[in-house]
């Protein structure tokens, strides 16, 4: 089954404690990205990757890091989480063939609470 | 800069009636795509429908149709014959053809509640 998986699905942590949210896709997609969802703001892109070892900032990258060492995995790293990073996080992937209508597949989401 | 605006934070509709969710957009890209996603209370993002900027006809997918008015820069979602399972948050999103072409720009979302 084609899917994007994220772990953990729920996480409560404390300020400053490093954490990693994993994302994996089994569709051999080149393009992967991370979004955060906040009430009244919709989803905003944090980072994206067009292929292995190619990553770039999205609209709200501060406080986050990513890596793309393998095509299927795109972890999101919070080196020193702060309460303003409490949010719902989505990983997404798609082919990158230039077609505007390419479907983006979203993971199930990770709810993060930073105390 | 690209922008999506959804001006209806919440909507109610009676079961079996049709409902229109509004979406306006702003972009300078000559080619772009417009998407609608559904987010039920469980949180996942479900793709509903897509409209390309050069598509001649409005997109339809089952009970979903997209009322695309290019001159007005609007891409409203029409749900016909509403069902209780349609209660969810709905997001309009846009994808442009310059720079980071994989990025989706999302609106604020509209919460739809279907009344029995």
């Amino acid at each position: 089954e084609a899917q994007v998986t994220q772990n953990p699905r729920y996480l409560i942590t404390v300020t400053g404690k490093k954490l990693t949210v994993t994302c994996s896709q089994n569709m051999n997609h080149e393009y992967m990205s991370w979004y955060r969802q906040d009430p009244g703001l919709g989803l905003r892109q944090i980072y994206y990757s067009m292929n292995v070892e190619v990553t770039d900032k999205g609209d709200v990258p501060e406080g986050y890091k990513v890596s793309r060492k393998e095509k299927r995995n795109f972890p999101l790293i919070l080196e020193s989480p702060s309460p303003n990073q409490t949010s719902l996080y989505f990983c997404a992937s798609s082919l990158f063939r230039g077609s505007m209508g390419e479907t983006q597949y979203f993971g199930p989401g990770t709810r993060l609470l930073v105390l | 800069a690209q922008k999506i605006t959804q001006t209806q934070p919440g909507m109610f509709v009676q079961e079996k009636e049709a409902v229109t969710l509004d979406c306006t957009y702003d972009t300078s890209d000559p080619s772009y795509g417009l998407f609608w996603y559904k987010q039920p209370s469980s949180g996942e993002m479900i793709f509903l429908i897509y409209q390309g900027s050069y598509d001649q006809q409005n997109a339809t997918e089952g009970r979903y149709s997209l009322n695309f008015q290019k001159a007005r820069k609007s891409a409203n979602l029409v749900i016909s014959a509403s069902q209780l399972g349609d209660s969810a948050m709905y997001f309009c999103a846009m994808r442009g053809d310059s720079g980071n072409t994989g990025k989706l720009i999302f609106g604020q979302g509209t919460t739809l509640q279907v009344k029995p």
Side-chain angles (χ1 to χ4, degrees):
Chain A
E1 179 191 355
Q3 60 181 355
V4 179
T5 57
Q6 292 178 229
N7 282 292
R9 295 288 312 280
Y10 305 91
L11 181 59
I12 301 174
T13 190
V14 295
T15 298
K17 186 176 181 182
K18 181 179 178 179
L19 66 92
T20 299
V21 183
T22 64
C23 172
S24 183
Q25 50 93 4
N26 62 1
M27 296 166 279
N28 203 35
H29 285 167
E30 288 92 352
Y31 190 94
M32 297 185 74
S33 65
W34 277 101
Y35 293 86
R36 61 177 287 173
Q37 181 182 349
D38 301 292
L41 297 176
L43 281 75
R44 295 174 292 167
Q45 192 184 56
I46 304 170
Y47 267 94
Y48 67 96
S49 169
M50 291 192 180
N51 216 322
V52 176
E53 303 292 0
V54 181
T55 64
D56 207 345
K57 297 176 181 178
D59 294 323
V60 288
E62 294 78 18
Y64 304 95
K65 286 175 59 177
V66 293
S67 68
R68 188 92 181 272
K69 293 184 171 59
E70 305 165 285
K71 199 171 188 178
R72 63 183 294 130
N73 296 323
F74 190 45
L76 179 69
I77 303 156
L78 285 72
E79 295 265 358
S80 183
S82 62
N84 64 12
Q85 292 179 297
T86 292
S87 189
L88 175 59
Y89 292 86
F90 287 99
C91 180
S93 75
S94 67
L95 288 169
F96 199 66
R97 295 286 182 262
S99 169
M100 200 58 64
E102 282 160 10
T103 302
Q104 295 226 2
Y105 293 81
F106 282 83
T110 295
R111 292 189 184 273
L112 172 64
L113 172 62
V114 183
L115 301 173
Chain B
Q2 296 178 325
K3 188 177 181 181
I4 292 279
T5 302
Q6 296 178 254
T7 56
Q8 306 153 312
M11 293 274 289
F12 288 93
V13 66
Q14 204 68 37
E15 193 178 9
K16 299 180 184 176
E17 291 185 352
V19 63
T20 297
L21 305 184
D22 294 341
C23 172
T24 58
Y25 61 91
D26 190 20
T27 181
S28 56
D29 290 340
S31 175
Y32 50 90
L34 296 155
F35 302 78
W36 277 92
Y37 285 85
K38 173 184 179 182
Q39 186 179 48
S41 58
S42 51
E44 71 268 30
M45 296 291 285
I46 302 169
F47 166 73
L48 294 178
I49 195 167
Y50 164 78
Q51 178 84 44
S53 58
Y54 290 116
D55 292 343
Q56 295 297 314
Q57 299 203 338
N58 286 346
T60 60
E61 289 286 350
R63 293 186 299 109
Y64 304 108
S65 60
L66 203 152
N67 183 3
F68 181 47
Q69 299 188 46
K70 197 170 183 177
R72 290 186 167 190
K73 294 190 173 180
S74 73
N76 299 338
L77 177 70
V78 180
I79 305 174
S80 63
S82 297
Q83 302 172 356
L84 296 178
D86 293 334
S87 294
M89 179 164 280
Y90 290 81
F91 288 99
C92 180
M94 175 171 63
R95 183 178 176 185
D97 69 352
S98 59
N100 176 7
T101 58
K103 180 171 74 174
L104 290 172
I105 303 292
F106 285 84
Q108 306 93 317
T110 295
T111 300
L112 176 67
Q113 293 193 37
V114 180
K115 296 182 185 178

